[in-house]
Amino acid sequence: VIETTRPELLPACVALVAHPDDDRYRPLFDTLVRTPLFGVAVPVLAHALADPEKGSGIAMICTFGDLTDVIWWRELDLPTRSILGWDGRIQAEAPEGLAETDAQRAAWAELAGLTVKQAQKRIVELLAESGDLIGDPKSVTHAVKFYEKGDRPLEIVTTRQWYIRNGGRDPELRAALLARGAELQWHPEYMRARYESWVEGLNGDWLISRQRFFGVPFPLWYPLDADGEPDHAHPLLPSEDRLPIDPSSEVPDGYREDQRGVPGGFAADPDIMDTWATSSLTPQIACGWEEDAERFASTYPMDLRPQAHEIIRTWLFSTVVRAHLEFGALPWQHASISGWVLDPDRKKMSKSKGNVVTPMATLEQYGSDAVRYWAVNGRPGTDTAFDEGQMKVGRRLAIKILNASKFALGVIGADAGQPVDPAVVTIALDRALLADLARLVDEVTAAFDAFDYARALERTERFFWGFCDDYLELVKQRAYREGDDAGAASARATLALALGVLLRLFAPHVPFVTEEAWSWWQEGSIHRASWPASDPVRTAATDGVAEAYAVAADVLGAVRKAKTASQRSLRTEAAVLRVRDTPARIGLLRTVIDDVREAGRAREVELVEDVAAEEQTIIVDLVPPDDD
């Protein structure tokens, strides 16, 4: 006993289905039953999507009443018995197996040419006449899919379509595509799971044809028989040297244009390719595949695919499929996955929601570097909210880069832009700063090698603000000394090395302000300059201990804090500066104490070694206000 809302699809029935745990129907599984009116033998099968609580618990699988029928048909590998034409009416000719007996032909004649509603009414009448209808029809309300501008439910019809094998029905190909995903370098690494989940969940091939007017056509034709019907089994293919080709305006070999669309002639394939079917060839097209052999050999496969996370299953996967099938390899070595730009409320931007923020106004208000700074702070794979506050920080950073560059170049003077002799750097503080800078170069280079541009910016920015707040203050007095002072020469050489490195580290993030500052003292564009290497910096920092710079910065920060807390000018002198710390840290501080004393304007400094000290203790005794 079947309860159904689609009795008109009875002739399209190809199986019955029940839940595998339903004891009522378990004895019937893998047996055959016959449909009423048409007497077609169909199997009774088990599938987890069958709902024991719905209707009588057993359902018809008809090709096709709804999308669940499509799933059952595909996963249970059932035949197709399509009865509905593109005009929305029952087809004039019965499908194979439905017109073999007088009874079948008579039943079909009652339905042929009717609309779905008409067929539904008529088949109920026929079932009542044959005694197969149990009870009377009753109205139900349930959800069905509608065309967005129509007033009738959608119907599923069968058509001829183009597919590419993608592992959905080929376990061996699926395993190969999973291996390609494991071979690809993902940034961030966890995005690999999205690819693998998509591949493992595929249950059909990749449909690449579309029935639209504009797009890339399929490059082939079909011969037409004496009735003008296309012979799909014998397509007319162009030779490879004729590709690309538009079959709607060109003719197949051996035919004339006047034979297009006439019996005995030919017809072009009417479909166009899906968007992903063509964009999946982006690397091959860009590298000159089939057009420039030399360029293709030197550029393919590519190095990097940058894209957002939501099209891993479409653009990224389809590109991997095409490269694997054609070349047996990946189309690129790395995939850098970004997130979405969200509105200030962290919602996805959408025209329909009216929450789209266009960049022009922010570019004009804050500048390109500030907007880029906000964008670069969005970590790989992470959605980023539109944030004007962060753009303000970016603008402040850009201005600080200009001001710090101007100050440093003013101190360096006429030697700006000249090669720096590492031997000139002799002062401990300068060597410590350069040792820390060399470590920064290694960290930022590693971050970029891992495609983590946000970490590269974060590390560079943190160092830069410390450089401005601490090192420039610590070295300022010494750097301004005149004559052949070795300390001043060491400071100026360090400033030149540090400025050159920092501008290049910042250049990918804030390209315009770094180009401007670079032009003040260097030839050519900073974006054509070599990436900074740590070894030359480390050479100048020979015997430098990076931690000495950090200790000096901590003490100077404590002095500034004490003056601010007392509401005194930063130019106020300290009568006594007392520092209690571990012997190791006091030892580091002794190497840079002269610069600390001068920057902190301390008349007297007391350094106390305390083996038991767990943290640094700094006491600042300021001179009385009358002594300022």
Side-chain angles (χ1 to χ4, degrees), residues 455-468:
R455 175 172 174 77
L457 172 60
E458 182 268 329
R459 288 293 295 113
T460 304
E461 185 181 9
R462 184 194 306 171
F463 183 96
F464 174 74
W465 286 113
F467 174 78
C468 294

Side-chain angles (χ1 to χ4, degrees), residues 82-83 90-96 98-99 108 112-113:
S82 178
I83 67 169
I90 306 299
Q91 296 172 353
E93 294 186 11
E96 185 178 352
L98 280 184
W108 183 260

Side-chain angles (χ1 to χ4, degrees), residues 218-387:
F218 285 86
L220 75 161
W221 309 263
Y222 303 102
L224 300 180
D225 62 19
D227 295 324
E229 294 297 323
D231 180 3
H232 293 108
H234 301 89
L236 304 171
L237 305 177
S239 58
E240 189 168 345
D241 59 2
R242 291 187 64 187
L243 298 175
I245 196 171
D246 181 0
S248 67
S249 60
E250 299 188 50
V251 301
D253 294 335
Y255 287 83
R256 304 182 309 275
E257 180 61 36
D258 60 8
Q259 293 178 282
R260 184 185 298 273
V262 300
F266 69 93
D269 189 294
D271 291 349
I272 64 165
M273 296 186 192
D274 165 48
T275 297
W276 303 113
T278 50
S279 62
S280 59
L281 293 176
T282 302
Q284 291 89 325
I285 294 171
C287 291
W289 183 40
E290 298 287 347
E291 292 184 347
D292 187 332
E294 183 178 354
R295 173 155 58 99
F296 188 74
S298 62
T299 57
Y300 189 89
M302 289 182 159
D303 183 59
L304 173 68
R305 157 63 67 80
Q307 65 165 70
H309 51 58
E310 86 278 11
I311 50 176
I312 289 175
R313 64 182 181 85
T314 48
W315 194 31
L316 188 146
F317 173 66
S318 63
T319 308
V320 170
V321 169
R322 301 298 292 277
H324 174 78
L325 294 178
E326 183 69 26
F327 303 102
L330 286 170
W332 2 254
Q333 299 171 355
H334 301 269
S336 179
I337 309 299
S338 67
W340 284 333
V341 175
L342 307 177
D343 73 3
D345 295 326
R346 299 200 65 82
K347 297 179 181 177
K348 183 183 177 183
M349 292 190 189
S350 168
K351 288 183 180 179
S352 61
K353 293 181 181 178
N355 64 341
V356 173
V357 180
T358 55
M360 187 53 66
T362 53
L363 290 169
E364 293 173 347
Q365 182 176 1
Y366 300 110
S368 297
D369 280 331
V371 176
R372 187 180 178 96
Y373 170 87
W374 156 75
V376 173
N377 268 285
R379 296 193 175 277
T382 304
D383 295 339
T384 303
F386 180 84
D387 186 355

